Amino acid sequence: MNLKRALLLAMMVLATGFAAPAFASLEIDITRGHLEPTPLAIPSFTGSSEPEREIGRQIAGVIRADLERSGLFKVLDPASYIEHQSNIDLQPRFAEWRVIRADALLAGRVVIENENRVRVDMRLWDVFAETHLFGQQMGTTPENWRRIAHKIADSIYQKLTGESGYFDTRVVFIAESGPKINRTKRLAIMDQDGANPTFLTPGSYTVLTPRFSPTAQQITYLSYSSIVPSVFLFNIETGRQEVLGDFPGMTFAPRFSPDGKKVIMSLVQRGNSEIWMMDLRTRRRTRLTNSPAIDTSPSFSPDGSKIVFNSDRGGSPQLYIMNVDGSALRRITFGKGRYSAPVWSPRGDLIAFTKHFQGKFHIGVMRPDGEGERTLTTAYLDEGPTWSPNGRVLMFTRETRPGAGPHVWSIDLTGANLRRVTTPGDSSDPAWSPLIE
Amino acid sequence: MKTKLLKSLGFAAVFVVSACASDPQVTQTTVPSSTSQQPSSRPVTPVQTTQTYAPRPGSIEEFSTSAGDRVYFGYDSYTLSAQARATLSKQAAWMNSYPRVRVLLAGNCDERGTREYNLALGARRANSVKDYLVNLGVDPSRMTTISYGKERPIDPRSMGEAWSINRNTHTAIVSGASS
């Protein structure tokens, strides 16, 4: 769970005799919904000793699970594989992979260089074009093998879709337990695939709405650890927690700016919530809204120039956009229903939101001008979307039916591939990290 | 005894009801209505067991039973109803009799809203109560307002009746009461 250790993970492209083609003949257009998943063969990575082969089996397992979960790939059953390569540097017998209808083959090898270092070599082959798509060599400490697997899955995703991946990422969320009238809510963090779950707060006080900094080393969240609930910062590397600013009232709904240097949030004074921005270095704070209405859930555009937020100044909760200095305010939602919890996509092209309409809750997306609204989900309660760093997948909180505990779910931007995310117990308020460096 | 243990731990009365449903004495004497109980595990209301229950003057129990420690709101509303104002008049009179008492006013919402909007709405509900109590002569420095949003339901059910109970401002005495 230590980021510094994780950052030691080195990555370099293999220089080999195989000339990579200028573009892959195997390409996947992920902007379309309900694609036929691309069939891949991913044998366990080879090794010259049993400890190497054991890591090789585990790495292949994580890569398979990552790619399968994306909904874009179908990993063929390893029991159906005909060829069993012993040397991944040699060209595979493509005909034998075509027989089982694999479009691409991932071949990898694990070498334990010493007790502190494992090297992993991999190659991706286009089975039909009979070409070497790319190769990579990575090194890390033995206990860090999962990150190698996620990085390889990201490389494959990027090579075959043309978009950056999202597998080497983490999710911060609220782990929930206990009866509904006396709920325990703890800050927790895990890998994107649910591995390595860790509690960051003890559960003796409630925490809500965590969000990652763009550098992935800090979290901002709402904590009830003192009488007046306040926005806090949590440093993942040191475990240090601090109140953010000495505000004269309850603060909540925090989010980082895209450069990580500011946090925007709501401050309550005399019952009225306004949106404020705090500079993390100078600690100077600026009020951005001035209205007797509710103003909350601010989220920056990825270029840092605009803020989308939730206000009931028009009589019901709706979404508004303003410049970062509070100017050029305008409402963007006019549809039927109550809109809240907007989050700007990291690509900038869409805003995800929660919509309450006719007794149901929905996750939807629309363009920043308010046009092109699409509803992606419907349930008793769906709320609080968060974007994958490539802007292709959303996680959110769902209660499937009245009284059911909340869980984190995910769905593709296309509306396909709805899944429950693996978490230890009930869970809510997910926030996706950026890609780990 | 299981029930004694629960009581000494100061468990929420709602929880005690479900745990002791087979004990008629407990249900009769400790749960006059769902409106006068504490919301959670906050150990502020020790539950009494005897039928001859008389709360001590100036105690939290007396405040809860004589004034009522919650007022309720309509959907997405922070307007005080006539009933809420009547309860707050009694709260103000009691607080004016015990000037050392300090309170935490916590606004609560039902589960049919999103988390952050409900935090903002709960803050309005807490402030409505504070403003009313100030108008009735309670010093504002004796009151702290916060919002729990939808995080502190007192009725766990997912239905209209529960939601109207869960839309409230709770007046919790934090210091100055006699024990």
Side-chain angles (χ1 to χ4, degrees):
Chain A
M1 295 315 292
N2 182 323
L3 259 180
K4 276 217 175 104
R5 190 190 73 212
L7 290 170
L8 294 175
L9 190 141
M11 208 174 121
M12 59 181 249
V13 176
L14 257 190
T16 70
F18 297 105
F23 56 88
S25 57
L26 181 58
E27 283 177 350
I28 301 169
D29 178 3
I30 58 175
T31 59
R32 289 168 42 220
H34 307 286
L35 285 173
E36 196 60 36
T38 300
L40 302 179
I42 305 180
S44 291
F45 284 19
T46 64
S48 56
S49 68
E50 184 48 32
E52 288 174 346
R53 285 190 289 273
E54 175 57 23
I55 295 176
R57 279 190 288 273
Q58 291 177 314
I59 287 181
V62 167
I63 297 170
R64 286 178 200 134
D66 277 350
L67 295 174
E68 283 263 7
R69 228 175 23 256
S70 76
L72 302 175
F73 304 96
K74 173 180 167 35
V75 178
L76 300 166
D77 180 359
S80 69
Y81 302 168
I82 301 164
E83 184 185 18
H84 296 278
Q85 280 188 296
S86 52
N87 183 350
I88 67 156
D89 297 328
L90 300 179
Q91 186 158 297
R93 294 194 294 273
F94 291 113
E96 296 184 6
W97 295 103
R98 278 197 293 272
V99 167
I100 64 165
R101 301 181 191 283
D103 280 7
L105 165 66
L106 173 68
R109 170 178 54 219
V110 175
V111 179
I112 298 178
E113 295 186 322
N114 57 53
E115 63 183 27
N116 296 318
R117 189 174 157 84
V118 169
R119 197 187 83 217
V120 178
D121 307 325
M122 58 73 66
R123 298 180 179 285
L124 187 68
W125 302 91
D126 184 328
V127 168
F128 283 85
E130 301 199 351
T131 51
H132 181 241
L133 291 172
F134 76 106
Q136 270 182 330
Q137 182 176 92
M138 297 183 224
T140 188
T141 52
E143 70 275 13
N144 211 17
W145 61 267
R146 293 191 75 95
R147 287 208 52 210
I148 294 247
H150 292 313
K151 285 207 174 291
I152 292 172
D154 279 331
S155 298
I156 294 169
Y157 184 100
Q158 179 156 23
K159 189 71 188 179
L160 298 183
T161 69
E163 311 253 346
S164 64
Y166 55 85
F167 302 118
D168 190 22
T169 56
R170 297 202 280 176
V171 176
V172 63
F173 63 101
I174 300 300
E176 300 195 16
S177 59
K180 204 166 166 182
I181 56 164
N182 185 17
R183 200 79 166 144
T184 298
K185 292 196 164 200
R186 306 171 71 179
L187 186 61
I189 191 169
M190 64 182 188
D191 296 351
Q192 144 282 137
D193 61 352
N196 297 317
T198 308
F199 295 117
L200 302 178
T201 59
S204 48
Y205 51 88
T206 294
V207 287
L208 302 172
T209 63
R211 277 86 197 236
F212 262 107
S213 109
T215 61
Q217 286 159 29
Q218 270 190 325
I219 299 165
T220 183
Y221 60 101
L222 171 59
S223 171
Y224 284 78
S225 53
S226 53
I227 290 270
V228 177
S230 303
V231 169
F232 274 64
L233 287 179
F234 190 102
N235 186 309
I236 300 174
E237 294 197 0
T238 64
R240 188 165 165 264
Q241 298 178 50
E242 60 169 312
V243 186
L244 184 53
D246 183 23
F247 283 98
M250 173 175 171
T251 48
F252 65 103
R255 264 183 212 282
F256 284 96
S257 60
D259 63 6
K261 292 176 178 167
K262 299 185 184 76
V263 170
I264 40 174
M265 67 190 107
S266 286
L267 164 66
V268 178
Q269 288 180 288
R270 291 175 302 281
N272 180 38
S273 43
E274 301 285 8
I275 293 169
W276 289 67
M277 178 159 62
M278 168 165 263
D279 186 300
L280 292 178
R281 192 178 55 82
T282 65
R283 299 276 152 160
R284 221 182 64 172
R285 56 196 197 214
T286 320
R287 185 173 48 73
L288 303 182
T289 57
N290 187 9
S291 151
I294 285 175
D295 294 306
T296 191
S297 301
S299 169
F300 273 101
S301 61
D303 67 2
S305 69
K306 293 188 172 65
I307 291 168
V308 62
F309 66 101
N310 184 206
S311 177
D312 72 342
R313 61 185 69 198
S316 70
Q318 301 292 336
L319 306 186
Y320 293 76
I321 285 181
M322 63 184 172
N323 289 340
V324 72
D325 61 0
S327 68
L329 176 97
R330 65 195 184 86
R331 178 172 164 175
I332 62 164
T333 51
F334 296 92
K336 288 177 182 163
R338 299 158 62 84
Y339 294 78
S340 56
V343 201
W344 218 303
S345 156
R347 304 162 66 96
D349 56 346
L350 292 170
I351 289 166
F353 54 82
T354 306
K355 180 177 177 176
H356 185 189
F357 181 55
Q358 290 184 337
K360 296 277 191 187
F361 283 78
H362 313 270
I363 303 298
V365 294
M366 62 174 53
R367 292 202 303 269
D369 62 5
E371 297 297 315
E373 177 177 336
R374 282 193 294 130
T375 299
L376 302 180
T377 74
T378 302
Y380 175 69
L381 180 72
D382 278 349
E383 71 165 311
T386 180
W387 291 92
S388 64
N390 69 354
R392 288 294 176 195
V393 184
L394 290 156
M395 283 189 192
F396 56 96
T397 305
R398 162 167 288 190
E399 288 174 22
T400 50
R401 59 180 193 284
H407 282 101
V408 175
W409 287 65
S410 72
I411 193 163
D412 289 1
L413 182 53
T414 57
N417 200 26
L418 176 69
R419 287 167 187 267
R420 190 167 136 181
V421 175
T422 304
T423 56
D426 288 359
S427 54
S428 58
D429 291 5
W432 217 315
S433 83
L435 271 178
I436 302 171
E437 292 299 317
Chain B
M1 262 175 62
K2 189 182 170 195
T3 52
K4 276 263 170 61
L5 180 61
L6 287 171
K7 284 161 197 159
S8 65
L9 288 172
F11 266 59
V14 181
F15 183 71
V16 174
V17 174
S18 60
C20 316
S22 61
D23 185 341
Q25 187 196 13
V26 171
T27 50
Q28 271 174 20
T29 57
T30 64
V31 190
S33 83
S34 60
T35 64
S36 62
Q37 305 302 330
Q38 299 296 327
S40 68
S41 63
R42 205 169 275 274
V44 288
T45 310
V47 178
Q48 304 295 316
T49 49
T50 56
Q51 297 269 3
T52 56
Y53 171 66
R56 192 183 179 82
S59 66
I60 293 172
E61 292 80 359
E62 188 197 50
F63 176 70
S64 301
T65 52
S66 70
D69 61 2
R70 268 180 220 271
V71 296
Y72 301 89
F73 296 88
Y75 176 72
D76 198 20
S77 166
Y78 57 106
T79 308
L80 296 172
S81 65
Q83 194 187 350
R85 290 196 300 270
T87 301
L88 294 177
S89 296
K90 287 187 241 171
Q91 286 191 7
W94 192 89
M95 286 187 70
N96 288 333
S97 307
Y98 301 100
R100 285 174 50 237
V101 165
R102 300 178 63 90
V103 296
L104 181 68
L105 305 173
N108 292 292
C109 303
D110 67 41
E111 66 187 21
R112 303 308 283 158
T114 51
R115 200 171 318 285
E116 289 175 344
Y117 182 83
N118 276 356
L119 287 169
L121 178 59
R124 280 177 159 176
R125 288 176 176 163
N127 193 67
S128 292
V129 166
K130 181 180 177 180
D131 281 351
Y132 199 78
L133 292 174
V134 168
N135 281 336
L136 294 176
V138 181
D139 186 335
S141 68
R142 298 169 63 196
M143 298 180 275
T144 303
T145 54
I146 68 165
S147 173
Y148 286 122
K150 59 177 172 176
E151 306 304 316
R152 293 286 186 278
I154 50 173
D155 188 328
R157 296 170 302 162
S158 294
M159 54 184 290
E161 189 184 319
W163 298 332
S164 41
I165 289 171
N166 291 333
R167 294 189 294 262
N168 63 72
T169 293
H170 179 227
T171 304
I173 295 174
V174 291
S175 66
S178 60
S179 52

Coordinates of all heavy atoms in Angstrom, one line a residue, chain A residues 379-435:
Chain A
A379 N -32.3 2.8 -10.2 CA -32.4 1.9 -9.0 C -33.2 2.7 -7.9 O -33.5 3.9 -8.1 CB -31.0 1.5 -8.5
Y380 N -33.4 2.0 -6.8 CA -34.0 2.6 -5.7 C -33.2 3.8 -5.2 O -33.7 4.9 -4.9 CB -34.1 1.6 -4.5 CG -34.7 2.2 -3.2 CD1 -36.0 2.7 -3.1 CD2 -33.8 2.4 -2.1 CE1 -36.5 3.3 -2.0 CE2 -34.3 3.0 -1.0 CZ -35.6 3.4 -0.9 OH -36.1 4.0 0.2
L381 N -31.8 3.6 -5.2 CA -30.9 4.7 -4.9 C -29.6 4.5 -5.7 O -28.9 3.5 -5.5 CB -30.6 4.9 -3.4 CG -29.6 6.0 -3.2 CD1 -30.4 7.4 -3.4 CD2 -29.0 6.0 -1.8
D382 N -29.4 5.4 -6.7 CA -28.1 5.4 -7.3 C -27.6 6.8 -7.1 O -28.3 7.8 -7.4 CB -28.2 5.2 -8.9 CG -28.3 3.7 -9.2 OD1 -28.0 2.9 -8.3 OD2 -28.6 3.4 -10.4
E383 N -26.3 7.0 -6.7 CA -25.9 8.4 -6.5 C -24.4 8.5 -6.5 O -23.7 7.5 -6.3 CB -26.4 9.0 -5.2 CG -25.8 8.4 -3.9 CD -26.1 9.2 -2.7 OE1 -25.9 10.4 -2.7 OE2 -26.6 8.6 -1.7
G384 N -23.9 9.7 -6.6 CA -22.5 10.0 -6.4 C -21.5 9.4 -7.4 O -20.6 8.6 -7.0
P385 N -21.6 9.7 -8.7 CA -20.7 9.1 -9.7 C -19.3 9.6 -9.5 O -19.1 10.7 -9.1 CB -21.3 9.5 -11.0 CG -22.1 10.8 -10.7 CD -22.6 10.6 -9.3
T386 N -18.3 8.7 -9.9 CA -16.9 9.1 -10.0 C -16.4 8.5 -11.3 O -16.7 7.4 -11.7 CB -16.1 8.6 -8.8 OG1 -14.7 9.0 -8.9 CG2 -16.2 7.1 -8.6
W387 N -15.5 9.2 -12.0 CA -15.0 8.8 -13.3 C -13.7 8.0 -13.2 O -12.8 8.3 -12.4 CB -14.7 10.0 -14.2 CG -15.9 10.8 -14.6 CD1 -16.4 11.9 -14.0 CD2 -16.6 10.6 -15.8 NE1 -17.5 12.4 -14.7 CE2 -17.6 11.6 -15.8 CE3 -16.6 9.7 -16.9 CZ2 -18.6 11.8 -16.9 CZ3 -17.5 9.8 -17.9 CH2 -18.5 10.8 -17.9
S388 N -13.6 7.0 -14.0 CA -12.2 6.4 -14.2 C -11.3 7.5 -14.9 O -11.8 8.4 -15.5 CB -12.3 5.2 -15.2 OG -12.8 5.6 -16.5
P389 N -10.0 7.4 -14.7 CA -9.1 8.4 -15.2 C -9.2 8.6 -16.7 O -8.8 9.6 -17.2 CB -7.7 8.0 -14.7 CG -7.9 6.6 -14.2 CD -9.3 6.4 -13.8
N390 N -9.6 7.6 -17.4 CA -9.7 7.7 -18.9 C -11.1 8.2 -19.3 O -11.4 8.3 -20.5 CB -9.3 6.5 -19.6 CG -10.3 5.3 -19.4 OD1 -11.3 5.4 -18.6 ND2 -10.2 4.2 -20.1
G391 N -12.0 8.5 -18.3 CA -13.4 9.0 -18.7 C -14.3 8.0 -19.4 O -15.2 8.4 -20.1
R392 N -14.0 6.7 -19.2 CA -14.8 5.7 -19.9 C -15.7 4.9 -19.0 O -16.7 4.2 -19.5 CB -13.9 4.7 -20.7 CG -13.2 5.3 -21.9 CD -14.3 5.6 -22.9 NE -13.7 6.3 -24.1 CZ -14.4 6.9 -25.0 NH1 -15.7 7.0 -24.9 NH2 -13.8 7.5 -26.0
V393 N -15.5 4.9 -17.7 CA -16.2 4.1 -16.8 C -16.6 5.0 -15.6 O -15.8 5.9 -15.2 CB -15.3 2.9 -16.3 CG1 -16.2 2.0 -15.4 CG2 -14.8 2.1 -17.5
L394 N -17.8 4.7 -15.0 CA -18.2 5.4 -13.8 C -18.4 4.4 -12.7 O -19.0 3.3 -12.9 CB -19.5 6.2 -14.1 CG -19.4 7.4 -15.0 CD1 -20.8 7.6 -15.7 CD2 -19.0 8.6 -14.2
M395 N -18.0 4.8 -11.5 CA -18.4 4.0 -10.3 C -19.4 4.9 -9.6 O -19.4 6.1 -9.7 CB -17.2 3.7 -9.4 CG -16.4 2.6 -9.8 SD -15.2 2.2 -8.5 CE -14.1 1.1 -9.5
F396 N -20.3 4.3 -8.8 CA -21.3 5.1 -8.0 C -21.8 4.2 -6.9 O -21.5 3.0 -6.8 CB -22.4 5.5 -9.0 CG -23.1 4.3 -9.7 CD1 -24.3 3.8 -9.2 CD2 -22.6 3.8 -10.8 CE1 -24.9 2.7 -9.8 CE2 -23.2 2.7 -11.5 CZ -24.3 2.2 -11.0
T397 N -22.6 4.8 -6.0 CA -23.2 4.1 -4.9 C -24.6 3.6 -5.3 O -25.4 4.4 -5.8 CB -23.4 5.0 -3.6 OG1 -22.1 5.5 -3.3 CG2 -23.9 4.2 -2.4
R398 N -24.9 2.3 -5.0 CA -26.3 1.8 -5.3 C -26.9 1.1 -4.2 O -26.2 0.3 -3.5 CB -26.2 0.9 -6.5 CG -27.4 0.0 -6.7 CD -27.5 -0.7 -8.0 NE -27.9 0.2 -9.1 CZ -28.2 -0.1 -10.3 NH1 -28.2 -1.4 -10.6 NH2 -28.5 0.8 -11.2
E399 N -28.2 1.4 -3.9 CA -29.0 0.6 -3.0 C -30.0 0.0 -4.0 O -30.9 0.7 -4.5 CB -29.7 1.4 -1.9 CG -28.7 1.8 -0.8 CD -29.3 2.7 0.2 OE1 -30.5 2.7 0.4 OE2 -28.5 3.5 0.8
T400 N -29.9 -1.3 -4.2 CA -30.8 -1.9 -5.3 C -32.2 -1.9 -4.9 O -33.1 -1.7 -5.8 CB -30.4 -3.4 -5.5 OG1 -30.4 -4.0 -4.2 CG2 -29.0 -3.5 -6.1
R401 N -32.6 -2.0 -3.6 CA -34.0 -1.9 -3.2 C -34.1 -1.4 -1.8 O -33.1 -1.3 -1.1 CB -34.6 -3.3 -3.3 CG -33.9 -4.3 -2.4 CD -34.5 -5.7 -2.4 NE -33.9 -6.4 -1.3 CZ -32.7 -6.9 -1.3 NH1 -31.9 -6.8 -2.3 NH2 -32.3 -7.6 -0.2
P402 N -35.3 -0.9 -1.4 CA -35.4 -0.3 -0.1 C -34.8 -1.3 1.0 O -35.2 -2.5 1.0 CB -36.9 -0.1 0.1 CG -37.4 -0.1 -1.3 CD -36.6 -0.9 -2.1
G403 N -34.0 -0.7 1.8 CA -33.5 -1.5 2.9 C -32.2 -2.3 2.6 O -31.5 -2.8 3.5
A404 N -31.9 -2.4 1.3 CA -30.7 -3.1 0.9 C -29.5 -2.2 1.3 O -29.5 -1.0 1.1 CB -30.7 -3.5 -0.6
G405 N -28.4 -2.8 1.8 CA -27.2 -2.0 2.1 C -26.6 -1.5 0.8 O -26.8 -2.0 -0.3
P406 N -25.9 -0.3 0.9 CA -25.3 0.3 -0.3 C -24.0 -0.5 -0.7 O -23.3 -1.1 0.1 CB -24.9 1.7 0.2 CG -24.7 1.5 1.7 CD -25.7 0.5 2.1
H407 N -23.8 -0.5 -2.0 CA -22.6 -1.1 -2.6 C -22.1 -0.2 -3.7 O -22.9 0.5 -4.3 CB -22.8 -2.5 -3.1 CG -22.9 -3.5 -2.0 ND1 -24.0 -4.0 -1.6 CD2 -21.9 -4.1 -1.3 CE1 -23.8 -4.9 -0.6 NE2 -22.5 -4.9 -0.4
V408 N -20.8 -0.3 -3.9 CA -20.2 0.4 -5.1 C -20.4 -0.4 -6.3 O -20.2 -1.6 -6.3 CB -18.7 0.6 -4.9 CG1 -18.1 1.3 -6.1 CG2 -18.5 1.5 -3.6
W409 N -20.9 0.2 -7.4 CA -21.1 -0.4 -8.7 C -20.4 0.4 -9.7 O -20.0 1.5 -9.5 CB -22.6 -0.4 -9.0 CG -23.5 -1.4 -8.2 CD1 -23.7 -1.3 -6.9 CD2 -24.1 -2.6 -8.7 NE1 -24.5 -2.4 -6.5 CE2 -24.8 -3.2 -7.6 CE3 -24.3 -3.1 -10.0 CZ2 -25.5 -4.3 -7.7 CZ3 -25.1 -4.3 -10.1 CH2 -25.7 -4.9 -8.9
S410 N -20.2 -0.2 -10.9 CA -19.6 0.5 -12.0 C -20.4 0.2 -13.3 O -21.1 -0.8 -13.4 CB -18.2 0.1 -12.2 OG -18.1 -1.3 -12.7
I411 N -20.3 1.2 -14.2 CA -21.0 1.0 -15.5 C -20.1 1.8 -16.5 O -19.5 2.8 -16.2 CB -22.4 1.6 -15.5 CG1 -23.2 1.1 -16.7 CG2 -22.4 3.1 -15.3 CD1 -24.7 1.3 -16.6
D412 N -20.1 1.3 -17.8 CA -19.4 2.0 -18.8 C -20.2 3.2 -19.3 O -21.4 3.2 -19.2 CB -19.2 1.1 -20.0 CG -18.2 0.0 -19.8 OD1 -17.7 -0.1 -18.6 OD2 -17.9 -0.8 -20.7
L413 N -19.5 4.2 -19.8 CA -20.1 5.4 -20.3 C -21.2 5.0 -21.4 O -22.1 5.7 -21.6 CB -19.0 6.2 -20.9 CG -19.4 7.6 -21.5 CD1 -20.2 8.4 -20.5 CD2 -18.1 8.3 -21.9
T414 N -21.0 3.9 -22.1 CA -21.9 3.4 -23.1 C -23.3 3.0 -22.5 O -24.2 2.8 -23.2 CB -21.3 2.3 -23.9 OG1 -21.0 1.2 -23.0 CG2 -20.1 2.7 -24.6
G415 N -23.3 2.8 -21.2 CA -24.5 2.2 -20.6 C -24.4 0.7 -20.4 O -25.3 0.1 -19.9
A416 N -23.3 0.1 -21.0 CA -23.2 -1.4 -20.9 C -22.3 -1.7 -19.7 O -21.7 -0.8 -19.1 CB -22.5 -1.9 -22.2
N417 N -22.2 -3.0 -19.4 CA -21.2 -3.5 -18.4 C -21.5 -3.0 -17.0 O -20.5 -2.6 -16.3 CB -19.8 -3.1 -18.9 CG -18.7 -4.0 -18.3 OD1 -19.0 -5.1 -17.9 ND2 -17.6 -3.5 -18.2
L418 N -22.7 -3.1 -16.6 CA -23.1 -2.8 -15.2 C -22.6 -3.9 -14.3 O -22.9 -5.1 -14.5 CB -24.6 -2.6 -15.0 CG -25.1 -2.4 -13.6 CD1 -24.7 -1.0 -13.1 CD2 -26.6 -2.6 -13.6
R419 N -21.8 -3.5 -13.3 CA -21.2 -4.5 -12.3 C -21.1 -4.0 -10.9 O -20.9 -2.9 -10.7 CB -19.7 -4.8 -12.7 CG -19.5 -5.6 -13.9 CD -18.1 -5.6 -14.3 NE -18.0 -6.2 -15.6 CZ -17.8 -7.5 -15.8 NH1 -17.5 -8.2 -14.8 NH2 -17.8 -8.0 -17.0
R420 N -21.3 -5.0 -10.0 CA -21.0 -4.6 -8.6 C -19.5 -4.7 -8.4 O -18.8 -5.7 -8.8 CB -21.7 -5.6 -7.7 CG -21.7 -5.1 -6.2 CD -22.7 -5.9 -5.4 NE -22.0 -6.3 -4.1 CZ -22.6 -6.9 -3.2 NH1 -23.9 -7.3 -3.4 NH2 -22.0 -7.2 -2.1
V421 N -18.9 -3.7 -7.8 CA -17.4 -3.7 -7.5 C -17.2 -4.5 -6.2 O -17.9 -4.3 -5.2 CB -17.0 -2.2 -7.4 CG1 -15.5 -2.2 -7.0 CG2 -17.2 -1.5 -8.7
T422 N -16.1 -5.3 -6.2 CA -15.7 -6.1 -5.1 C -15.3 -5.1 -3.9 O -14.3 -4.4 -4.1 CB -14.6 -7.0 -5.4 OG1 -15.1 -7.8 -6.5 CG2 -14.3 -7.9 -4.2
T423 N -16.0 -5.1 -2.8 CA -15.5 -4.4 -1.6 C -15.7 -5.3 -0.4 O -16.6 -6.1 -0.4 CB -16.3 -3.1 -1.4 OG1 -17.7 -3.4 -1.3 CG2 -16.1 -2.1 -2.5
P424 N -15.0 -5.0 0.7 CA -15.2 -5.8 1.9 C -16.4 -5.3 2.6 O -16.4 -4.2 3.2 CB -13.9 -5.6 2.7 CG -13.3 -4.3 2.2 CD -13.8 -4.1 0.8
G425 N -17.6 -5.9 2.5 CA -18.8 -5.5 3.1 C -19.5 -4.4 2.4 O -19.2 -4.1 1.2
D426 N -20.4 -3.7 3.0 CA -21.2 -2.6 2.4 C -20.2 -1.5 2.1 O -19.2 -1.3 2.8 CB -22.3 -2.1 3.3 CG -23.5 -3.1 3.4 OD1 -23.4 -4.2 2.7 OD2 -24.4 -2.8 4.1
S427 N -20.5 -0.7 1.1 CA -19.6 0.4 0.7 C -20.4 1.5 0.0 O -21.4 1.2 -0.6 CB -18.5 -0.2 -0.2 OG -19.1 -0.9 -1.3
S428 N -19.8 2.7 0.0 CA -20.4 3.8 -0.6 C -19.4 4.9 -0.9 O -18.2 4.7 -0.6 CB -21.5 4.4 0.3 OG -20.9 4.8 1.6
D429 N -19.8 6.0 -1.6 CA -19.0 7.1 -1.9 C -17.7 6.8 -2.5 O -16.6 7.2 -2.1 CB -18.8 7.9 -0.6 CG -20.0 8.6 -0.1 OD1 -21.1 8.4 -0.7 OD2 -19.9 9.4 0.9
P430 N -17.6 6.0 -3.6 CA -16.3 5.7 -4.2 C -15.7 6.9 -4.9 O -16.5 7.8 -5.4 CB -16.7 4.7 -5.3 CG -18.1 5.0 -5.7 CD -18.8 5.5 -4.4
A431 N -14.4 7.0 -4.9 CA -13.7 8.1 -5.7 C -12.5 7.4 -6.3 O -11.7 6.8 -5.6 CB -13.3 9.2 -4.8
W432 N -12.4 7.5 -7.6 CA -11.4 6.9 -8.4 C -10.1 7.7 -8.4 O -10.2 8.9 -8.5 CB -11.9 6.7 -9.8 CG -11.4 5.4 -10.5 CD1 -10.2 4.9 -10.4 CD2 -12.2 4.5 -11.3 NE1 -10.2 3.7 -11.2 CE2 -11.4 3.5 -11.7 CE3 -13.6 4.6 -11.7 CZ2 -11.9 2.4 -12.5 CZ3 -14.0 3.5 -12.5 CH2 -13.2 2.5 -12.9
S433 N -9.0 7.0 -8.2 CA -7.7 7.8 -8.3 C -7.3 8.0 -9.7 O -7.8 7.4 -10.6 CB -6.6 6.9 -7.6 OG -6.0 6.0 -8.5
P434 N -6.4 8.9 -9.9 CA -5.8 9.0 -11.3 C -4.9 7.8 -11.5 O -4.7 7.0 -10.6 CB -4.9 10.3 -11.2 CG -4.7 10.5 -9.8 CD -5.8 9.9 -9.0
L435 N -4.4 7.6 -12.7 CA -3.5 6.5 -13.0 C -2.2 6.7 -12.1 O -1.7 7.8 -12.0 CB -3.0 6.5 -14.4 CG -3.9 5.7 -15.4 CD1 -3.3 5.8 -16.8 CD2 -3.9 4.2 -15.1

